[in-house]
Amino acid sequence: MREYGASFGIGFVAGMRSMSACAALTWAASQGRTRGDLIPAGLGARALATTAAAAEMAGDKMPFAPDRRVPPSFALRLGIGAVGGWALSCRRASPEYGALAGVAGAVAGTLFGRGARGGDSRTSAGRARGLAEDVAAVGLAVLVVASAETKRHRSSL
């Protein structure tokens, strides 16, 4: 199971904050920690993804923010989890199972994040829980990227 820890972790981040997972993946790719060249690693990609993550965090506190469990949002989180899980699966792991671990992480992150957060972002308590979720998502993303293998340690991609 250790081979899929980063895959599950990036999926969990995607379930909590989808754009934070995208930003983490671009940073991981820039450090040579992703499988293949699917994830863009340039400065522009990192800046765009990081800006999108910050905008998502700000927008999430708005009273009109949609529930993360509505089908389009949930599907996006599953897709990001799958791609991220594939990209972060280690050399001893099957990338297909990495994608499945990413999807499982996205389901868990979506449901856990929603349960811990609650449904009301209009109150100060709801916004405070949202900020705590932001901190948790960013912290987990940093840990996931740091734990992912680098390409130089892989025998084959």
Side-chain angles (χ1 to χ4, degrees):
M1 287 309 285
R2 293 179 63 194
E3 294 89 5
Y4 302 106
S7 296
F8 183 86
I10 199 67
F12 199 92
V13 172
M16 295 171 70
R17 294 285 182 267
S18 56
M19 292 298 108
S20 293
C22 291
L25 287 166
T26 62
W27 284 95
S30 75
Q31 298 171 11
R33 295 178 180 271
T34 57
R35 179 182 292 274
D37 295 323
L38 178 69
I39 309 296
L43 179 60
R46 291 192 314 268
L48 179 63
T50 302
T51 301
E56 178 187 34
M57 288 179 191
D60 178 67
K61 312 306 176 289
M62 301 297 158
F64 54 80
D67 190 308
R68 68 186 82 196
R69 299 170 299 171
V70 298
S73 178
F74 194 58
L76 176 69
R77 292 166 194 277
L78 296 178
I80 293 169
V83 171
W86 179 89
L88 294 183
S89 59
C90 73
R91 67 178 157 75
R92 296 174 308 280
S94 159
E96 292 81 11
Y97 288 153
L100 289 174
V103 168
V107 170
T110 299
L111 299 178
F112 178 79
R114 176 65 166 84
R117 168 82 179 272
D120 191 5
S121 62
R122 291 180 286 267
T123 65
S124 59
R127 285 189 292 278
R129 286 190 298 272
L131 288 171
E133 187 179 9
D134 294 342
V135 170
V138 170
L140 180 57
V142 168
L143 290 174
V144 166
V145 170
S147 72
E149 285 184 334
T150 60
K151 285 182 181 178
R152 65 180 162 268
H153 293 126
R154 292 183 175 168
S155 58
S156 65
L157 297 175

